[in-house]
Amino acid sequence: MKKYACLLVFALLLNGCDDGDLTVDTIDFDDPTISSQTCNTLTNSLVYRLKSQESLLIQLPDNMIINDVTLPGAPVIYNIDNNLYRVVYRAYNGKVETANICGTIPPTSPSVTEEWQAKAGKIVISTTQNEVIDDATGSSKITGYTHNIVFNNITFAKPSGIDQVNDVFDFGNFVTTVTPVVVDFSAQTAQYCPDQKKVYIENTTSSLVLENLSDNIIVNEDTPTGEPRESAINLNSFNKLYYRTYAGVLPVNASTYFCNSQTPASPAVLDTWFGKDGLADVSGIIQVTTTHSLKVYKHTIVLKKATLQKGNTTFKLGDNFVLGTVTIILP
């Protein structure tokens, strides 16, 4: 009798292992080598992580993973509703690949053997910028963002009918890439709008502008050697700094756009970065060196340790960014 019982148990074990099904008690994606991926880098509406026979998926409306830095204690939070904001865990009876997640017509194998759907909880996203610094110039470029995703109080509905609740469940990091902003006007000439107290430089599709200049910046008097005039960038007062890109092309005679009492509506502004307020002798300083010959005055403008910001993202123009030289010919 014992002999037959042993044979029965052995047969049951064989049947249990034969189909390659994965038995799941808890979800574990803690391995840092498992990278997060997306099916569409433009929208990031489906982000997922894969193990050998498991997947963990986040489905969001388009563009809900935002390429901007979140401030400390102020992450982006979405409520899981199993509709627009979904978190799904799946186990398979074979090795799972990206095609099983993102394919227009998913492969028939492997098949899903178990699925847990989150029915409550929060998706919490904290974002930092990925920055490359040029040690030679002190300038920096933003190459992308790292989005740390955590589920708070997430409740999974399991096939067994018993819910599983996790107070804190770390999904991991998801990295997005962006084209770095390159501020380069080296081949252009700076221009001056005396009535608007504005200096600008442009390359038909972007511009760097100093607006509402203080009275002591552009003065037709030579500066002593090694003693340029200085003033700080200030967004709410004088010396406002803006970097803008445009949806169209600036006019050939750009002064009709920049030196107008009212900025024309076309071309429309695409993006605006503003200069962070300067701190005397530290950062965000405007320096102007003036020389003259006969009645021709040349004002060379340098921005020292200036930082541009859009939203909460920032990058540095460099230790000594030459905006350009303004030439003024007196009558």
Side-chain angles (χ1 to χ4, degrees), residues 57 106 214 228 248:
L57 307 95
S214 56

Side-chain angles (χ1 to χ4, degrees), residues 192-209:
Y192 181 47
C193 306
D195 293 340
Q196 288 74 29
K197 295 185 177 181
K198 178 189 298 184
V199 171
Y200 69 90
I201 192 165
E202 54 85 24
N203 59 10
T204 73
T205 57
S206 64
S207 68
L208 189 63
V209 184

